[in-house]
Amino acid sequence: MLEVQGIYSGYGNIAVLSNISFRLEKGEILGVLGRNGMGKSTLIRTVAGALIAKSGSIIFNGEDITALPPHLRANRGITTVVQGRGIFPKLTVWENLEMGRIASGRAKRNRLDEVLGYFPHLGERLGQLAGTMSGGEQQMLAIGRGIMADPAIILLDEPSDGIMPTLVTQIGATLGEISRHSGLSILIAEQNVPLVFSLTDNCIILEKGRIVAQGSRQAVSRSEVMKEYLAI
């Protein structure tokens, strides 16, 4: 479904990502591990189109989307949940979800009932201003809003950031359920190793913008890179 081939990306003259390649299949959850400043968010932004790759290619469903802007990638079915959630704090929960439904410009089904099935807590707060909710509730809303766009792929940037561990576990379990139920592909960039390993069959580790380990969860967990990662 998604193939990233030899991507180089960064900000202006500052190179961040070097020769990044991976595949994401339909219904797969791929984890991107790495400490702060290693290039995880830059990778998410590059796949989303917020940054245009300096070289390399991004192929989605057989189409080269490397030069497409974010709204056209969203129109094709790529949705992003940014770090810090990026909800609209002065809109209600329902209004935030409705924004997800209409924002990508695709003709799509209304998945509100499905989202509220995954996150029943949101159903109890449809009229509440999103900015008054806790961090964990806002993350649920951000993911729910992403699903409302009816995507084929959802990109998640640090979904555990600033959230209580119990809610992180709950959100992780729900993401797994969403992928199994809907066939949604997920690219999740995280520092939280237990969360990534609970979700993914395959993952990569970024170090200074390069892939230093890649493969099955079991293989990556046994790598020397992972031992060093966990030791810090």
Side-chain angles (χ1 to χ4, degrees):
M1 176 172 285
L2 179 73
E3 186 170 2
V4 174
Q5 301 173 338
I7 283 295
Y8 288 76
S9 185
Y11 304 87
N13 294 324
I14 301 173
V16 177
L17 299 178
S18 299
N19 197 28
I20 302 296
S21 298
F22 62 85
R23 294 174 62 92
L24 178 66
E25 305 295 346
K26 180 176 173 58
E28 181 186 3
I29 304 177
L30 177 65
V32 181
L33 288 163
R35 296 184 295 276
N36 277 336
M38 294 297 112
K40 301 188 305 299
S41 293
T42 301
L43 177 58
I44 294 292
R45 288 170 60 82
T46 303
V47 175
L51 285 173
I52 300 299
K54 298 179 183 300
S55 62
S57 61
I58 301 173
I59 310 297
F60 177 56
N61 282 337
E63 178 187 6
D64 190 333
I65 62 168
T66 312
L68 288 186
H71 70 282
L72 292 182
R73 300 191 198 199
N75 184 261
R76 283 158 173 76
I78 299 177
T79 291
T80 308
V81 177
V82 300
Q83 185 175 9
R85 296 170 280 282
I87 54 134
F88 300 102
K90 294 185 179 181
L91 297 183
T92 66
V93 168
W94 180 84
E95 288 167 337
N96 269 269
L97 292 172
E98 183 68 2
M99 284 294 291
R101 188 180 71 83
I102 65 177
S104 69
R106 305 171 74 207
K108 61 178 75 68
R109 52 192 168 139
N110 191 329
R111 298 180 68 175
L112 180 61
D113 289 342
E114 181 183 347
V115 168
L116 298 183
Y118 295 134
F119 300 110
H121 200 62
L122 298 180
E124 303 167 3
R125 288 167 164 72
L126 288 176
Q128 183 175 340
L129 291 180
T132 64
M133 298 196 303
S134 71
E137 292 168 339
Q138 290 181 15
Q139 188 61 270
M140 293 177 190
L141 176 57
I143 295 169
R145 185 182 63 189
I147 296 168
M148 288 291 288
D150 200 19
I153 292 176
I154 193 164
L155 312 174
L156 293 169
D157 192 4
E158 301 278 7
S160 74
D161 185 30
I163 299 177
M164 291 170 39
T166 53
L167 282 179
V168 171
T169 301
Q170 179 183 341
I171 289 171
T174 303
L175 286 171
E177 179 186 356
I178 292 167
S179 182
R180 290 189 299 272
H181 179 264
S182 65
L184 180 68
S185 300
I186 300 175
L187 182 66
I188 176 171
E190 258 291 348
Q191 294 188 72
N192 188 319
V193 175
L195 173 61
V196 170
F197 279 3
S198 73
L199 282 171
T200 62
D201 292 321
N202 297 293
C203 48
I204 63 179
I205 299 178
L206 288 182
E207 183 80 25
K208 297 180 180 178
R210 296 179 180 273
I211 294 178
V212 292
Q214 184 173 21
S216 70
R217 178 184 63 223
Q218 292 81 5
V220 170
S221 68
R222 294 192 297 267
S223 69
E224 289 299 318
V225 172
M226 177 55 67
K227 293 174 184 178
E228 294 173 9
Y229 182 93
L230 293 173
I232 296 176

